[in-house]
Amino acid sequence: MKIRTRLTLLFTLITAMLLSIYSVSIYYSSKEAREKSFYSELQNEAIAKADLFFQSSLPEQEMHKLYKNNNRTLNEVQVAIYDSNNRLVYHDDAKVDYVKEDREMLSEIFQKKKITFFSGKLQVIGIVYHHSGKSYAVTAASYDQYGYEYLTHLLTISIVAFISILVLIYLAGIFLSKKTLSPLSEMVNQIKKITAGRLQWRLKTTKENDELNELAQSFNGMLERLENSFDAQKYFVSNISHELRTPLSAIITELELASEKKQTHEEYQQTIQRVLEDARNMAKLSNSLMDLAKASYDPNEISFSEIRIDEILLESYAKIIKENSGYKVSLNIEDTVEEQQLIIQGNEYLLQVAFNNLIDNACKYSPEHTCSIDVKILSGKLHIRFSNRGIIISQEDLEHIFEPFYRSENSKKEKGYGIGLFLTEKIIHLHHAVITVASDDKATVFTVEFSI
């Protein structure tokens, strides 16, 4: 079922429920009001007949005649009067006694002073009337024909109005839901046209500050991210293919040459060493790509825990020195840095990969193969500076230094793939930290800032 139909039916159902409650309330309120009003009329009629009987000179026969004449054109109230001994004093028409007063009823009237009840379709009231120091029980009964006709008319009008309003509400619901959801239908038609090759398309947005416009803007934002992701993936695959092709071509060439002609033992050893070096380069590239894949996970899927920055720096320091005996690394943590300030929420493996890259880069591009690491607290943040003295990075290269597979002219003299700094930046951002770089004739400094 479409949302439009569902909304229309739901709106109609709610309206039907509210109208039903309102109509039933009106009907039963009118019914109670009619009942109370007619009891009041009966009481007035009972008192008027009693006054007429006891205080006027009108003969009883004339009163009977008056009752019968009125009863031909309308439902005349039938009144009966009994004394305290339960003897009948007066009755409009004793032959047609509507109430059938008995001793128990009369006793209740004298005791309660006033009673009301239904006798079939007739309403009956019984009251105590006082005259000349004596008490009399007066009953009055009649059928409220006008009142019941009014209720029937009210019920008919309510039913007709209920059905008419529901039909109008349903039609109005269809029209309004169609008009309200038309932008959504247009949005769906636009989305159907978007494919992997048309990610540059965007949904139309308006200046309206409503949910549909917000949905369109959010969807456009998602398309923007997908387009960037697809472009990055194409660029990534293209560069990976190029980077893998070089060592693979070298390995194939070396092996083909070795298989085509006989070589001495030393020449075979040299061939094996060259192939082994190319294979190690491929393994290193493969490991970098695996680390890059891990850093590209959804942050919600990466496990974070309390870790100490100084311990991770020491592990990276030890690992780099072990793999490159010619490197010189110094670690300096200011005395003002407290132990608690070195604890952050992070992923130990990814941070170690980032620090390894920064230390390795600093040593690799320094003529003396040195890296100085300084840890301090500045403006309430933990600052870690990786600095070296050596090649100055130009301003143009600084603007692209964190792009994937980007390598400056100065860096092409050293082995690398242009993945390390791109990977490092992603890891630092995953930890809600900031990495910056500055280079001059004094030093090249990478600074990482952690909030504490």
Side-chain angles (χ1 to χ4, degrees):
M1 184 184 292
K2 290 187 176 182
I3 294 178
R4 183 174 63 190
T5 306
R6 194 183 307 160
L7 285 175
T8 302
L9 291 176
L10 183 61
F11 183 60
T12 305
L13 179 61
I14 293 174
T15 305
M17 291 175 61
L18 294 176
L19 280 177
S20 298
I21 294 172
Y22 175 76
S23 299
V24 170
S25 300
I26 292 296
Y27 180 79
Y28 278 98
S29 297
S30 300
K31 184 178 179 182
E32 290 183 2
R34 183 213 62 79
E35 187 176 317
K36 290 180 181 179
S37 176
F38 196 64
Y39 276 131
S40 179
E41 291 181 12
L42 289 177
Q43 181 174 345
N44 293 335
E45 188 70 18
I47 293 173
K49 281 282 182 73
D51 288 342
L52 189 63
F53 177 75
F54 287 110
Q55 298 179 16
S56 70
S57 58
L58 190 66
E60 183 175 344
Q61 290 80 7
E62 290 297 324
M63 291 182 64
H64 288 167
K65 187 183 296 185
L66 181 64
Y67 167 76
K68 289 180 180 179
N69 289 335
N70 288 342
N71 206 31
R72 293 175 184 174
T73 57
L74 49 85
N75 292 309
E76 177 68 3
V77 178
Q78 186 181 91
V79 176
I81 303 174
Y82 291 83
D83 62 13
S84 57
N85 294 321
N86 299 331
R87 288 180 298 184
L88 180 63
V89 177
Y90 170 80
H91 200 293
D92 280 327
D93 192 354
K95 294 180 180 180
V96 184
D97 188 3
Y98 292 149
V99 181
K100 312 294 183 189
E101 297 87 346
D102 54 18
R103 186 177 297 277
E104 184 178 351
M105 183 190 299
L106 294 173
S107 176
E108 185 180 0
I109 293 173
F110 281 114
Q111 183 179 359
K112 295 182 177 180
K113 307 301 182 184
K114 180 180 178 181
I115 64 171
T116 57
F117 59 93
F118 275 84
S119 177
K121 294 182 179 181
L122 302 178
Q123 281 182 247
V124 183
I125 188 171
I127 61 173
V128 174
Y129 180 85
H130 299 284
H131 178 70
S132 300
K134 295 182 180 180
S135 296
Y136 298 88
V138 182
T139 63
S142 183
Y143 175 73
D144 186 11
Q145 183 176 352
Y146 173 78
Y148 282 115
E149 287 178 353
Y150 168 78
L151 286 179
T152 302
H153 183 64
L154 177 63
L155 182 61
T156 303
I157 292 176
S158 298
I159 293 173
V160 172
F162 178 79
I163 295 173
S164 301
I165 291 174
L166 281 189
V167 172
L168 291 175
I169 288 293
Y170 181 76
L171 296 176
I174 292 176
F175 172 75
L176 291 176
S177 61
K178 183 177 180 180
K179 186 173 182 180
T180 303
L181 296 177
S182 59
L184 189 59
S185 300
E186 184 180 352
M187 195 181 299
V188 170
N189 293 331
Q190 293 176 26
I191 291 173
K192 288 179 179 178
K193 298 177 182 178
I194 299 173
T195 61
R198 296 177 176 176
L199 288 177
Q200 74 278 6
W201 287 24
R202 297 294 181 267
L203 300 182
K204 294 180 181 178
T205 57
T206 62
K207 295 182 180 180
E208 297 293 334
N209 188 23
D210 56 17
E211 291 79 0
L212 290 178
N213 193 52
E214 185 178 351
L215 175 63
Q217 291 175 349
S218 299
F219 192 83
N220 286 342
M222 182 189 68
L223 288 176
E224 185 76 26
R225 294 189 294 272
L226 283 176
E227 184 181 9
N228 293 337
S229 177
F230 270 65
D231 291 342
Q233 187 181 43
K234 292 176 183 177
Y235 180 74
F236 182 79
V237 171
S238 175
N239 282 278
I240 286 299
S241 301
H242 174 74
E243 295 293 341
L244 287 174
R245 187 184 300 117
T246 302
L248 280 174
S249 298
I251 290 173
I252 293 171
T253 302
E254 292 288 349
L255 293 177
E256 284 178 346
L257 289 174
S259 64
E260 288 176 358
K261 64 178 181 177
K262 291 183 179 181
Q263 296 180 345
T264 63
H265 178 74
E266 290 75 14
E267 290 174 335
Y268 276 121
Q269 286 292 327
Q270 292 175 3
T271 300
I272 292 172
Q273 287 299 323
R274 287 193 293 270
V275 172
L276 184 60
E277 181 64 23
D278 288 331
R280 283 173 178 165
N281 289 336
M282 287 183 64
K284 188 174 182 180
L285 176 59
S286 177
N287 290 333
S288 297
L289 294 176
M290 289 179 64
D291 292 335
L292 181 59
K294 291 179 181 178
S296 300
Y297 288 164
D298 187 328
N300 296 325
E301 298 179 4
I302 299 175
S303 60
F304 284 79
S305 59
E306 283 193 354
I307 54 176
R308 288 188 52 151
I309 290 292
D310 54 340
E311 292 179 354
I312 297 176
L313 286 171
L314 286 171
E315 290 177 6
S316 296
Y317 167 92
K319 184 176 185 297
I320 295 298
I321 294 298
K322 183 179 179 180
E323 293 177 353
N324 304 275
S325 57
Y327 287 179
K328 298 175 183 178
V329 183
S330 62
L331 175 60
N332 175 45
I333 301 177
E334 285 192 351
D335 296 335
T336 56
V337 180
E338 300 177 1
E339 181 179 331
Q340 188 64 31
Q341 293 174 319
L342 294 169
I343 300 175
I344 67 166
Q345 287 287 330
N347 183 280
E348 183 176 352
Y349 171 79
L350 291 177
L351 276 180
Q352 189 172 344
V353 169
F355 293 159
N356 288 350
N357 287 335
L358 291 172
I359 296 172
D360 184 61
N361 270 15
C363 292
K364 185 190 299 183
Y365 297 109
S366 169
E368 300 174 354
H369 299 298
T370 59
C371 174
S372 177
I373 307 173
D374 297 292
V375 182
K376 60 179 68 176
I377 299 295
L378 292 174
S379 303
K381 293 186 177 182
L382 180 65
H383 286 240
I384 307 174
R385 301 172 75 247
F386 300 83
S387 59
N388 72 341
R389 297 181 182 276
I391 303 172
I392 299 174
I393 305 174
S394 67
Q395 186 62 35
E396 182 182 354
D397 289 335
L398 286 177
E399 294 176 0
H400 303 281
I401 198 167
F402 293 114
E403 293 180 3
F405 303 105
Y406 178 80
R407 303 197 70 201
S408 64
E409 291 298 326
N410 293 333
S411 66
K412 288 181 180 179
K413 298 176 183 178
E414 300 290 340
K415 291 183 179 180
Y417 304 102
I419 297 177
L421 290 178
F422 172 65
L423 170 61
T424 298
E425 185 188 40
K426 287 185 71 69
I427 293 173
I428 297 303
H429 287 172
L430 279 174
H431 289 77
H432 305 290
V434 178
I435 183 170
T436 57
V437 60
S439 182
D440 54 27
D441 55 354
K442 295 181 180 180
T444 296
V445 181
F446 284 85
T447 305
V448 181
E449 297 179 16
F450 289 96
S451 300
I452 56 174

